[in-house]
Amino acid sequence: MAENAREHRDGQSSTGRSEYHGVPANALPLTASEDRQWATLAHFGGILGCVPALLIFLIFRDRGPFTAQESKEALNFSLPPTIAAVVANILVFIPVVGNIFAVIATLIWIALTCFSVAAGIHVNRGQPHRYQFNLRWIK
């Protein structure tokens, strides 16, 4: 009894192998509703820039085909405006023209938000969405 308790505490079996050794950590495929949900969140994440779409693409691309397609589309769309907005926000600190860059950064985020919400609504209906102006850097 005491030996069995020690084995359980140490995580070792009587064969010397860990009871957790060799167990694959494969994630299950997404259901159709989960696939649509994560694809929608990838587009809605554009409100915060390209980071949500990037995370969803990296985590769920192998688990659901619709999520892989739509998160890649959202990432390709949100990456250039996010970079432009970050650059504009850095240029805000230039004394004479800083206000112009503040307005530019604000307009970029407003446009990104509008396009992302429209795409998210479209994808939530289960229909794929293609942005009209998209560089598609990630294949």
Side-chain angles (χ1 to χ4, degrees):
M1 180 80 169
E3 183 179 318
N4 194 13
R6 188 178 75 241
E7 288 175 2
H8 182 67
R9 184 187 71 226
D10 295 340
Q12 299 285 331
S13 66
S14 59
T15 61
R17 292 189 66 188
S18 171
E19 59 186 276
Y20 303 108
H21 181 66
V23 177
N26 294 336
L28 295 173
L30 297 173
T31 64
S33 63
E34 290 172 337
D35 201 16
R36 190 176 73 232
Q37 173 190 8
W38 284 109
T40 302
L41 289 174
H43 285 285
F44 281 147
I47 295 168
L48 302 174
C50 66
V51 175
L54 175 64
L55 291 174
I56 291 171
F57 177 70
L58 292 175
I59 294 170
F60 293 105
R61 68 178 168 199
D62 296 330
R63 294 182 58 195
F66 193 57
T67 298
Q69 171 188 334
E70 293 303 318
S71 62
K72 184 174 18 172
E73 182 74 13
L75 178 59
N76 279 324
F77 177 74
S78 62
L79 187 60
T82 301
I83 293 170
V86 167
V87 169
N89 280 318
I90 291 171
L91 295 175
V92 164
F93 296 108
I94 296 176
V96 177
V97 292
N99 292 336
I100 294 170
F101 287 111
V103 171
I104 290 172
T106 304
L107 292 175
I108 290 171
W109 285 116
I110 289 172
L112 186 60
T113 298
C114 291
F115 285 118
S116 295
V117 168
I121 291 169
H122 193 247
V123 168
N124 193 35
R125 294 181 185 139
Q127 303 166 348
H129 183 77
R130 299 281 288 190
Y131 291 98
Q132 186 174 2
F133 304 107
N134 200 348
L135 296 178
R136 293 184 179 79
W137 289 345
I138 300 168
K139 300 291 179 194

